[in-house]
Amino acid sequence: MNKNRLLPSLRSLILPLTLAATPLTALAWPTLTIPTNALQADAVQAFSGDALGAFDLAEISIKPVGQASATAGLTGAYTLPVTSITIDGLKVIGGKATGAGLRFERLNEETGVTEVVTLANFRIDFKSHVIHADASPRSGPPQTDAPIFKFREQTALAIKYQFPLSIRAHQTLDQLFLTLPARAIFTDGLQLNEVMSAPLEIIDFGEIRIAVDVKLRKKAVSSKPYRP
């Protein structure tokens, strides 16, 4: 392992961890973005049975791209490395999975063309309860940081510090429903007819399980955005 590559990420953790050891009354807590690309930090998106059934009906396939990967032992689940989290005091207000994406494909039998929509560089906003991503249809302009899913927090997420160097955050998000702009992205980008697109409005797409721990990865993942 090249330890020198891990030092910037570890140094960036020292400031918030030092602040955590200071009494709350002694300072005003800043908003901090902490890189986690060198840590064991992952988000697993597990699509619901209803979502997978709708994909099958419309003959839509899903492929992990960039730093995303299929989750071993779970059908319709994909692991995306969490590259940073943003905290305000002891509350997590945001997180990013930059460099990872999911590619949705559908063969348009009328034209013989494989239509594609790629969602990548995910950003979770815990304040608005919306997950954003860069959306790139094969035909049509890309949309940066488009709102994709609305979600519910199963439990309140709080970050846990243990001085001098420990940071943990665990959370499950469920009730994932497509936003109106996201439904348009899928409908237009994959050339879905009315029957195929109707379920997009009502389907709960599953859940996302997030785990951030202080354990180091064997190799830090990149925080460079994925571009199709």
Side-chain angles (χ1 to χ4, degrees):
M1 178 190 302
N2 188 340
K3 295 184 178 179
N4 291 332
R5 294 182 180 179
L6 300 180
L7 289 178
S9 294
L10 294 178
R11 291 194 189 102
S12 66
L13 289 172
I14 292 176
L15 174 59
L17 295 171
T18 303
L19 292 174
T22 306
L24 291 175
T25 56
L27 49 80
W29 283 80
T31 298
L32 298 169
T33 296
I34 304 171
T36 56
N37 57 310
L39 303 180
Q40 290 287 353
D42 293 298
V44 175
Q45 176 157 3
F47 288 100
S48 66
D50 288 343
L52 294 176
F55 291 148
D56 286 342
L57 182 64
E59 298 183 324
I60 297 172
S61 61
I62 310 173
K63 297 179 180 179
V65 294
Q67 297 177 152
S69 60
T71 306
L74 291 175
T75 301
Y78 302 90
T79 299
L80 295 78
V82 177
T83 51
S84 69
I85 58 174
T86 300
I87 62 173
D88 185 4
L90 290 177
K91 183 177 178 62
V92 176
I93 60 172
K96 290 184 177 181
T98 305
L102 298 175
R103 178 184 170 101
F104 299 82
E105 297 183 354
R106 174 181 172 268
L107 175 62
N108 188 332
E109 295 183 353
E110 294 181 359
T111 63
V113 174
T114 298
E115 305 293 351
V116 176
V117 169
T118 302
L119 301 180
N121 310 315
F122 293 88
R123 179 177 70 85
I124 299 176
D125 186 336
F126 285 98
K127 287 186 175 181
S128 64
H129 290 89
V130 173
I131 298 172
H132 298 248
D134 295 341
S136 302
R138 186 195 65 82
S139 55
Q143 298 185 39
T144 303
D145 202 39
I148 303 299
F149 290 113
K150 296 176 287 184
F151 67 86
R152 182 191 71 165
E153 295 182 68
Q154 276 192 5
T155 57
L157 173 62
I159 196 166
K160 295 181 179 179
Y161 291 114
Q162 183 178 347
F163 192 76
L165 189 60
S166 179
I167 178 174
R168 288 178 174 84
H170 294 265
Q171 173 68 303
T172 298
L173 314 179
D174 63 6
Q175 296 186 14
L176 297 180
F177 290 93
L178 289 176
T179 64
L180 182 60
R183 296 201 297 269
I185 288 170
F186 277 101
T187 299
D188 297 339
L190 296 177
Q191 294 294 295
L192 301 179
N193 61 33
E194 188 174 345
V195 173
M196 295 174 180
S197 63
L200 298 181
E201 186 174 354
I202 60 174
I203 285 179
D204 180 345
F205 276 77
E207 65 178 24
I208 297 175
R209 297 187 292 274
I210 303 167
V212 178
D213 290 293
V214 75
K215 297 178 183 178
L216 297 176
R217 296 184 185 273
K218 291 183 180 180
K219 181 180 179 181
V221 298
S222 172
S223 57
K224 181 180 179 180
Y226 174 81
R227 304 298 182 203

